[in-house]
Amino acid sequence: GIDCSGDSRMCCLKEFFVDFKEIGWEDWIIQPEGYHMNYCAGLCPLHMAGIPGLAASFHTAVLNLIKANNADAAVDSCCVPTQRRPLSLLYYDRDSNIVKTDIPDMIVDACGCT
Amino acid sequence: APKGVWCPACGLSALAPTAQRDVLIALAKQSILSKLHLPDRPNITQPTSRGALLTALHRMRAQRVDTAPPPGMPHDGGIPRLRPGMGVQEYEILSFAESGSSTSRSVRLHFHFTRELAGSTEILQATLYLFWAVPGPGTHPVIVRLLQPDPAGLNTTVASETRLEAQRDVWATLDVAQAIQSLLGQGSQRLTVELEVAEDWGSPLLAVHSDSHRPFVAVQARARTPHRVQRR
């Protein structure tokens, strides 16, 4: 994966941190202090689309869906997350109970082209 | 994303930086609330004191150590664990007691569980923690009743009754998983526990009002996975 930097327009990982104190959520979310809502953006070179090796990747289902819905999309490819991890939260619910949970696949660590 | 734009993040770069930031923060709020099955951010009216929370966490850790199998044995507290990365959300919930009606020989405690738990989760384990403040030497029997509302919701019926022996100041535990699962199954969100002592201790749980000995229920739950058809 490529971290976005400078003026590259390639598919890359854009880091974005939401500080719970800044948005007034620090009273009900005990931990952590914020959420790394990184996301993927940028262009995927055309020659990446339809690479034979892709058939073996786990993006095949996504690519097939795109093909099924939009035939000419097959000549393009998307910048998508390739690595994700859970967001662990300790928070108060509406009954002032204390809840700990891990929300799966909430933090993007790397991006790539399908 | 604006119409005609290929992917949700593509239109972002066309916005001004402040507008981008506002869109992303709104998206972050929406995704966290939806994953926690919350319609809106909770308004905290009774934050738990730090003392009560630390005591509860300490008690739970001690309880797990006490019930851990011998070294070398896998330790999962008897809960059927999923392999990590299975993508199923699990919860650990601490619900602290609210005092209900009491007499010189009995006291009622209420534990609330939110609607989000009902219907969408299965209870893996639930333990009631009670601290006895015994008045003196000897054995002091305590009757613990789990009450649940009757179908009309006007009265309560006894779901289970357990007799415990208190000999000294100690934390006692009681398995309440079945009672909570049945409560949630009936759409109720409140577990009521009644404690009654044989002789006149005064209120059997003077400690109810002290932060470091506040009774609590520790629940481990797992989101129900929708029925999936595996295509081979």
Side-chain angles (χ1 to χ4, degrees):
Chain A
I2 302 170
D3 290 344
C4 295
S5 58
D7 54 9
S8 155
R9 297 185 63 202
M10 282 289 289
C11 170
C12 58
L13 174 77
K14 285 215 173 187
E15 294 199 353
F16 185 74
F17 181 69
V18 180
D19 186 339
F20 290 142
K21 190 168 285 185
E22 268 189 37
I23 61 172
W25 273 20
E26 80 285 3
D27 58 335
W28 73 279
I29 295 186
I30 304 168
Q31 281 291 327
E33 292 179 4
Y35 167 34
H36 289 275
M37 198 183 85
N38 309 329
Y39 61 96
C40 302
L43 299 175
C44 285
L46 285 180
H47 69 281
M48 288 285 284
I51 293 176
L54 270 182
S57 81
F58 73 94
H59 285 296
T60 306
V62 173
L63 194 55
N64 288 344
L65 270 177
I66 292 173
K67 281 177 185 170
N69 292 300
N70 186 337
D72 63 356
V75 296
D76 202 341
S77 81
C78 288
C79 176
V80 294
T82 53
Q83 247 184 316
R84 289 186 286 183
R85 57 190 161 90
L87 168 64
S88 288
L89 284 177
L90 188 68
Y91 63 98
Y92 284 105
D93 68 9
R94 291 188 288 169
D95 288 301
S96 297
N97 295 334
I98 292 175
V99 185
K100 175 190 176 300
T101 190
D102 296 337
I103 307 177
D105 299 330
M106 275 290 271
I107 299 175
V108 173
D109 281 334
C111 303
C113 290
T114 59
Chain B
K3 197 160 182 48
V5 175
W6 169 241
C7 62
C10 293
L12 212 52
S13 52
L15 297 175
T18 50
Q20 267 187 35
R21 186 170 170 287
D22 293 343
V23 165
L24 287 171
I25 285 178
L27 197 60
K29 286 183 178 179
Q30 181 207 357
S31 69
I32 290 175
L33 288 175
S34 76
K35 295 285 185 190
L36 298 181
H37 308 291
L38 293 171
D40 201 344
R41 50 138 304 157
N43 288 312
I44 307 308
T45 52
Q46 296 168 353
T48 303
S49 79
R50 194 173 181 73
L53 176 57
L54 289 176
T55 302
L57 293 173
H58 175 70
R59 267 313 330 139
M60 286 166 64
R61 189 180 303 123
Q63 173 72 9
R64 280 186 186 154
V65 169
D66 294 351
T67 54
M73 288 283 281
H75 168 56
D76 62 0
I79 306 170
R81 284 276 179 216
L82 294 177
R83 288 191 308 281
M86 285 294 284
V88 178
Q89 202 163 339
E90 294 192 355
Y91 300 86
E92 291 189 63
I93 299 130
L94 280 179
S95 177
F96 288 92
E98 286 178 12
S99 300
S101 58
S102 66
T103 66
S104 63
R105 293 179 46 206
S106 73
V107 64
R108 283 194 175 184
L109 306 174
H110 301 298
F111 299 89
H112 295 274
F113 296 93
T114 56
R115 267 181 299 278
E116 285 76 31
L117 258 191
S120 65
T121 52
E122 59 180 301
I123 305 295
L124 302 176
Q125 194 174 21
T127 307
L128 168 66
Y129 289 80
L130 298 162
F131 182 78
W132 304 132
V134 292
T139 302
H140 302 274
V142 181
I143 307 294
V144 181
R145 294 191 187 88
L146 302 184
L147 308 178
Q148 59 187 23
D150 62 9
L154 297 173
N155 295 315
T156 55
T157 55
V158 176
S160 77
E161 181 170 306
T162 309
R163 176 190 170 91
L164 296 178
E165 300 284 337
Q167 291 171 353
R168 54 187 172 75
D169 291 6
V170 70
W171 279 94
T173 59
L174 189 65
D175 182 358
V176 292
Q178 201 173 340
I180 290 180
Q181 189 74 69
S182 133
L183 266 177
L184 295 176
Q186 293 171 23
S188 170
Q189 270 105 51
R190 188 173 83 169
L191 170 70
T192 299
V193 177
E194 181 177 71
L195 308 177
E196 188 179 351
V197 291
E199 68 264 12
D200 192 357
W201 279 11
S203 167
L205 262 183
L206 295 175
V208 167
H209 307 294
S210 96
D211 259 350
S212 53
H213 295 116
R214 192 171 170 194
F216 63 95
V217 170
V219 177
Q220 288 179 338
R222 176 164 60 199
R224 286 185 198 282
T225 47
H227 178 66
R228 287 200 182 156
V229 177
Q230 291 285 328
R231 192 176 51 183
R232 295 190 186 287

